[in-house]
């Protein structure tokens, strides 16, 4: 296993716990303490992103929208915000899964493994479908989601 996972959380202790947990599972971990740093570190080598919602300067939903412009890697929201409306925002902004804090270590590692498995199994299919998609419709949908998130946040 050589998958690289980015952990984005403004709390050092959360990043450290996830780092230890996932390195013990054989994953490479790259850490970012905020959305701006995460966007700077994001590249094609990242296989999965674990993203907090409540961060200074830029929240996780905004970061997720910007990440989706650069990557199709799965994004797992890991956050204290666990209301249904929070989860809806997470999925609408481009997230693939949502886990509320406090979380079980077993559940986190299980979700990480499942997201990576699906990403690699379906990655080839997605590339074929993207070549056939109408990119203008995709851009309109992204703008609509971004506008909705901005209205809810304000």
């Amino acid at each position: 296993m050589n998958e690289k996972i980015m952990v984005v959380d403004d709390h050092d202790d959360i990043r450290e716990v996830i780092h230890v947990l996932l390195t013990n599972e054989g994953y490479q971990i790259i850490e970012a303490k905020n959305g701006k740093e995460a966007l700077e570190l994001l590249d094609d080598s990242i296989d999965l992103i674990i993203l907090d919602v409540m961060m200074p300067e830029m929240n996780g939903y905004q970061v997720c929208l910007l990440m989706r412009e650069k990557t199709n890697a799965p994004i797992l929201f890991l956050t204290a915000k666990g209301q249904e409306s929070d989860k809806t925002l997470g999925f609408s902004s481009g997230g693939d899964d949502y886990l509320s804090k406090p979380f079980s270590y077993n559940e986190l590692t299980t979700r990480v493994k499942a997201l990576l498995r699906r990403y690699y199994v379906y990655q080839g299919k997605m590339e074929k479908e993207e070549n056939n998609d109408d990119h203008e419709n995709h851009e309109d949908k992204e703008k609509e989601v971004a506008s909705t998130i901005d209205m809810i946040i304000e």
Side-chain angles (χ1 to χ4, degrees):
M1 204 182 310
N2 201 20
E3 290 95 348
K4 188 186 282 187
I5 299 173
M6 178 185 288
V7 178
V8 186
D9 198 302
D10 57 323
H11 293 100
D12 296 338
D13 53 339
I14 297 289
R15 286 195 321 272
E16 182 179 347
V17 165
I18 295 170
H19 185 105
V20 169
L21 178 67
L22 295 178
T23 53
N24 286 338
E25 293 289 325
Y27 299 108
Q28 283 185 290
I29 305 300
I30 182 169
E31 298 181 26
K33 62 182 178 243
N34 59 50
K36 182 180 180 205
E37 184 178 353
L39 291 167
E40 290 170 0
L41 294 171
L42 185 63
D43 62 29
D44 290 338
S45 72
I46 305 295
D47 297 298
L48 181 129
I49 301 150
I50 298 175
L51 182 59
D52 187 21
V53 171
M54 296 185 296
M55 296 184 292
E57 297 177 35
M58 193 182 324
N59 70 47
Y61 304 130
Q62 294 164 321
V63 174
C64 186
L65 282 169
L66 294 171
M67 286 180 160
R68 280 294 171 234
E69 294 176 6
K70 298 180 177 184
T71 185
N72 286 323
I75 298 175
L76 167 64
F77 280 104
L78 181 65
T79 179
K81 294 181 72 84
Q83 299 291 324
E84 185 176 341
S85 60
D86 299 318
K87 293 176 184 179
T88 300
L89 276 173
F91 287 114
S92 297
S93 65
D96 297 287
D97 203 351
Y98 202 102
L99 184 59
S100 297
K101 296 176 189 173
F103 58 93
S104 125
Y105 298 157
N106 188 40
E107 185 174 9
L108 176 63
T109 57
T110 301
R111 287 177 185 258
V112 164
K113 289 174 185 175
L115 285 166
L116 286 169
R117 181 182 64 246
R118 286 192 299 257
Y119 178 56
Y120 285 111
V121 167
Y122 297 119
Q123 187 173 23
K125 183 178 179 185
M126 286 295 291
E127 288 173 359
K128 289 178 189 173
E129 289 177 0
E130 282 182 3
N131 290 334
N132 296 329
D133 280 351
D134 180 4
H135 294 290
E136 290 178 20
N137 288 339
H138 182 68
E139 290 174 5
D140 290 343
K141 182 68 174 170
E142 284 181 351
K143 289 176 186 174
E144 181 181 325
V145 169
S147 175
T148 302
I149 290 173
D150 288 342
M151 287 186 333
I152 292 172
I153 292 171
E154 292 174 0

